[in-house]
Amino acid sequence: MKVFCGRANPTTGAVEWLEEDENYDYHQEIARSCYADMLNDKDRNTKYFQGIRAAVGRVKARGERAVVLDIGTGTGLLSMMAVTAGADFCYAVEVFKPMAEAAEKIVAKNGLRDKIKIINKHSTEVTVGPDGDMQCRANILITELFDTELIGEGALPSYEHAHRYLVQEGCEAVPHRATVYAQLVESERMWSWNKLFPVCIQMEDGEKAIVSPPEMEGCPGAPSVYDIQLNQVPLKDFTVLSDVVTMFSVDFSKRVSRAPASFTVQLEPVRSGRAQVVLSWWDMDLDPEGSIKCTMAPYWVNVTSEDPPWRDHWMQCVYFLPDEEPVLQGQSVNLTAFRDDYSVWYKLQKARSEEAVTEVHIESPVCWCQAHLLWNRPRFGELNDQTRTAQYVQALKEVLKPTSVCLSVSDGSLLPIMACYLGAEQVFMLESSAVSHSLMKKIFKANHVQDQINIVEKHPESVLSSDLGDKKVSLLIGEPFFSTSLLPWHNLYFWYARSAVASHLTSDVTIFPQSASLHMMIVEFKDLWRIRSPCGTCEGFDVRIMDEMVKNSLDFRESREAEPHPLWEYPCKPLSDPLEVLTFDFRETVPERSIGKEGTVNLSRAGKSHGAVLWMEYNLTSSLSVSTGLVKVSDEKGYCQWTPHCKQAVYFFSTVSAPETLPGCPSAVTYALSFNPKTGDVTMDFKFLS
C-alpha cells in the first residue's frame, strides 16, 4: 500500500506530497540505524559476553535458576549470549516491531528459540505472573539502553520500572554500574561552537567588528549535549585545566531513581585559564569487581590503548558552561553535574561550604538569545572562522559599489552587515523565519545598523516590489547557508530563490556567489565503513538476517542515497584525485532540463574503495572561491583534511555492505551523476572497472 507524505523540499523550497511505500519510515529507521556499528564493536561485544558469563555463573553458584530479562534486545544478541552462558530462560524485550520480528528469526536461526521469548513491548508495559509476559521476576538484568550521554535513551526510567516490577531485589545486572567522568578545559575552538566572537572586517580606514548582542553573552546555549568523536580533536586545540574527575555512578543492580539529581565535585585546577568547556564520557563495569570494563575515554586519558576502540554509537560529550569562568591553579572550584530523566548539564562555581552547595537549583539550560535555536554548533564555528570571513569580505569588495542595492538570501547571515560596512547604498535581507528575523534585528541593533538593513520576512516567491522600496536589486548576495540543508547540494536553494526574485533584479545584476560546483573523490575510510558493513557472525552467533535486513532497507529506494557526515571526525584516505563533476551557474535562472555528467575516475592510490565523498565549492567571484569540503588532500598521516563547519555527502559503495562482490584490484570507477531541477535531487551511480 502507498501513502502520501508531506515534506518541505530543502533544495527547491517547495512543499511536496510524495507517494511512499507504507514501510518507508521503517526502512529509513533501519537503514540509518547503529545496528551494524554495534555488531561490529568487538570490544563492546566481547566484554558484554564476559560480564554475562560471570553473572550467570554467580547465580548458578548460589544454586538458583538463572532467569534473564534483556531490555532493548535488538538482534537478540545479548539474550543468546546469556543462554549460551547457561541461563535457564531469557525474556527479551524489544519495542520496535520490525526489530522484534528480526530477533525472533535470529534466535531461531541459532537454535535458541526454546529458551528465549521475544516480547514486542516497551519494558514499562511488560507484565509478570501466570498470565503475564513473564512467568516470574528475573534475577539477571541485561540491558544496552545507553547513548553517548549515558542516559539520553531513557535508561533511568526503564531501570526504575524494571527494579520495581520485573526483577528480583538484589538481582545481578550487566552492566553492573556506569560511571560518568568530566574534565575542565579551555578551548577557543570548542568555545567558538557556542558563542559568537567579534567578527573583524578589514576596511581601508582601519578595522570594524561585528559584535554579538548582550543577550547572547550570558545565554546558557542549547540544552542538548554536543556529542562528537573527541579522538579526532588534537591536543593543540584545548588546554587541560583539571585532572579527570568522577562525577557520578549508577549501580544498575540496585533500585535506580529517575528523579532529578545533582553531584558536586571539588576540583583543584592544574593550571590557570578560562574554564569554558566540560569534556565528559563514561565507562561501564560489566561485573561488580570492575575487572571487566568498557570505556569511552578519549586518547589522552585512555593511554593504555594505542588505538582506542572505534565506535559511533557511543562517543564523547562536549558541554558548554553558561559563561567562561577564570580559574587559578591550586584555587579550588566546585563542578556540579545536574541530570534529569534524559540529559546532563554542568555548572562551575567557586568552592563553598557544603550547605551552600546543596542550595543550587537544578534548572536545565534554555537558550534565551535565540541564536542557539537558529544556529547549530558547526554554524557558530563557521561564523567565527576569520579566514572564511576574510574571503567573503575580499570578494564583496570586488563586486560592491557605493550605488549597490543589495538583497541577501541566506539564513541568519552576517553578509548584510558586511555589505553595510563596505558602503552599500541600501541592504535588504530575506528571512522566512520569525525566530531568525527576531535574532537578526538584535544583531543589527547591537552593531548600530538597524536603520540601514531592511528585513523582509517572506519567502522569495512572495516578495513584492514594495518590499524592496520599489527598487531593483543590483547585487544579490548569499553564502549560501540554509538551516534546512542536510546534504551539500541542498544549499542550491539559493539558486531557486535567485530565480524566484528574478523580476526584482537589474538587467546587469551581480550574483554573489556567481556559480557553484559539485566535487567528488573516492576514499578509503579508517572506520566509518563499519556503520554499513555486514557482521555475518558476532561472538559466534549468526546475525546474517540482520545484515540482510539492513541491506534491503538501504536498497529500498530505486537508487541508493548519499548521507551527510562531518568527515573531520571520520578519517579517510584519498584513492583518487578530487574531481569537479557538476557546475551550476547562478547568473542564469534554474534550467528546465537536468544537468548530468558521466565519466571515469582513476584510482591512483591503493586501498579499499569504500565510497565517494561529495561536496560543494562556491565561486564568489571569478577569482575567489570557498569550499564546503576538502581542505587538503592528505596530511602527514595520509588522511584528508575537511572543513569542520559542514557535513559532506558520503555515498557508500555496495561493496561495503556486500564485501564478497569486491573486485580484486579495481583500477577505476565509472560514475553517472545527475541534478534534477524539478526535484532538486542529485542522483548518482558508480561501478568498478578492473
Side-chain angles (χ1 to χ4, degrees), residues 44 113 293 316 386 454 486 488:
R44 162 193 177 271
R113 72 186 329 165
K293 191 181 292 288
Q316 294 81 31
Q386 284 291 156
N454 297 299
L486 294 175

Side-chain angles (χ1 to χ4, degrees), residues 98 143 289 336 369 375 401 443 481 505 508 512 556 607 653 665:
T143 64
E289 298 76 28
T336 303
C369 75
W375 300 332
K401 302 172 184 175
I443 294 175
F481 169 84
L505 309 178
D508 60 346
F512 175 102
F556 178 66
F653 295 151
C665 186

Side-chain angles (χ1 to χ4, degrees), residues 57 123 155 169 243 293 308 348 375 387 409 493 559 573 595 630:
S123 65
E169 188 173 349
D243 292 328
K293 191 181 292 288
L348 189 69
W375 300 332
T387 302
V409 182
Y493 175 65
S559 62
K573 293 185 176 181
I595 301 170
L630 192 65

Side-chain angles (χ1 to χ4, degrees), residues 623-643:
S623 58
L624 283 170
S625 64
V626 292
S627 174
T628 66
L630 192 65
V631 174
K632 189 177 180 182
V633 173
S634 63
D635 60 16
E636 63 279 0
K637 292 183 179 179
Y639 294 118
C640 306
Q641 286 186 17
W642 303 94
T643 176

Side-chain angles (χ1 to χ4, degrees), residues 502-578:
S503 62
H504 303 295
L505 309 178
T506 61
S507 58
D508 60 346
V509 64
T510 298
I511 309 295
F512 175 102
Q514 64 181 26
S515 63
S517 51
L518 181 65
H519 294 247
M520 176 191 81
M521 189 166 67
I522 311 300
V523 302
E524 175 184 20
F525 286 106
K526 181 184 177 187
D527 296 298
L528 189 62
W529 60 273
R530 299 175 197 275
I531 69 171
R532 295 290 168 261
S533 176
C535 187
T537 60
C538 181
E539 298 301 310
F541 301 103
D542 187 341
V543 293
R544 285 176 294 178
I545 289 169
M546 186 68 220
D547 294 339
E548 192 62 30
M549 188 176 177
V550 172
K551 185 176 184 300
N552 289 341
S553 290
L554 285 169
D555 292 337
F556 178 66
R557 286 189 174 277
E558 290 182 9
S559 62
R560 296 165 63 90
E561 297 178 338
E563 51 193 81
H565 290 284
L567 292 188
W568 73 267
E569 296 184 57
Y570 303 103
C572 61
K573 293 185 176 181
L575 300 186
S576 74
D577 292 330

Side-chain angles (χ1 to χ4, degrees), residues 54 286 344 434 634:
L286 283 301
V344 178
S634 63

Side-chain angles (χ1 to χ4, degrees), residues 245-473:
V245 294
T246 300
M247 293 307 303
F248 63 90
S249 291
V250 184
D251 187 334
F252 299 122
S253 68
K254 299 175 182 177
R255 289 209 166 195
V256 172
S257 174
R258 66 188 293 178
S262 64
F263 312 88
T264 298
V265 173
Q266 189 172 97
L267 54 85
E268 195 173 284
V270 296
R271 61 174 56 83
S272 300
R274 295 172 298 151
Q276 298 167 322
V277 171
V278 175
L279 304 181
S280 182
W281 57 90
W282 53 270
D283 65 23
M284 59 182 175
D285 295 319
L286 283 301
D287 65 334
E289 298 76 28
S291 61
I292 308 168
K293 191 181 292 288
C294 185
T295 181
M296 270 39 77
Y299 66 91
W300 66 89
V301 177
N302 190 15
V303 292
T304 55
S305 176
E306 190 173 306
D307 200 4
W310 185 86
R311 42 178 74 97
D312 207 40
H313 52 107
W314 298 329
M315 294 185 278
Q316 294 81 31
C317 303
V318 175
Y319 295 97
F320 304 99
L321 294 172
D323 285 299
E324 59 180 17
E325 302 279 354
V327 296
L328 297 175
Q329 182 177 352
Q331 208 169 93
S332 295
V333 290
N334 286 332
L335 181 64
T336 303
F338 303 94
R339 70 150 179 82
D340 54 20
D341 288 19
Y342 293 94
S343 58
V344 178
W345 61 98
Y346 286 85
K347 188 171 184 179
L348 189 69
Q349 298 171 295
K350 292 179 180 178
R352 304 178 182 180
S353 65
E354 196 65 33
E355 292 78 13
V357 171
T358 57
E359 292 174 3
V360 175
H361 294 296
I362 301 174
E363 294 179 355
S364 176
V366 176
C367 170
W368 65 60
C369 75
Q370 297 182 305
H372 302 90
L373 305 178
L374 180 67
W375 300 332
N376 60 19
R377 274 65 178 256
R379 176 60 171 166
F380 267 99
E382 188 170 59
L383 292 173
N384 285 321
D385 186 335
Q386 284 291 156
T387 302
R388 178 179 181 273
T389 296
Q391 288 178 291
Y392 278 90
V393 171
Q394 185 181 346
L396 275 174
K397 286 177 179 177
E398 287 186 21
V399 298
L400 193 140
K401 302 172 184 175
T403 56
S404 291
V405 175
C406 299
L407 174 62
S408 172
V409 182
S410 275
D411 288 351
S413 177
L414 302 181
L415 284 182
I417 305 180
M418 296 180 198
C420 252
Y421 283 179
L422 293 171
E425 180 180 303
Q426 196 158 2
V427 181
F428 296 92
M429 180 183 201
L430 280 191
E431 288 289 355
S432 56
S433 141
V435 172
S436 185
H437 186 160
S438 175
L439 171 65
M440 297 315 295
K441 280 180 69 175
K442 294 175 189 175
I443 294 175
F444 295 162
K445 184 177 180 181
N447 290 278
H448 312 292
V449 293
Q450 68 270 30
D451 297 329
Q452 301 172 56
I453 302 174
N454 297 299
I455 303 176
V456 180
E457 193 180 321
K458 285 187 175 182
H459 291 283
E461 61 275 11
S462 303
V463 173
L464 303 173
S465 180
S466 56
D467 295 321
L468 304 174
D470 293 318
K471 293 187 176 182
K472 292 285 187 179
V473 172

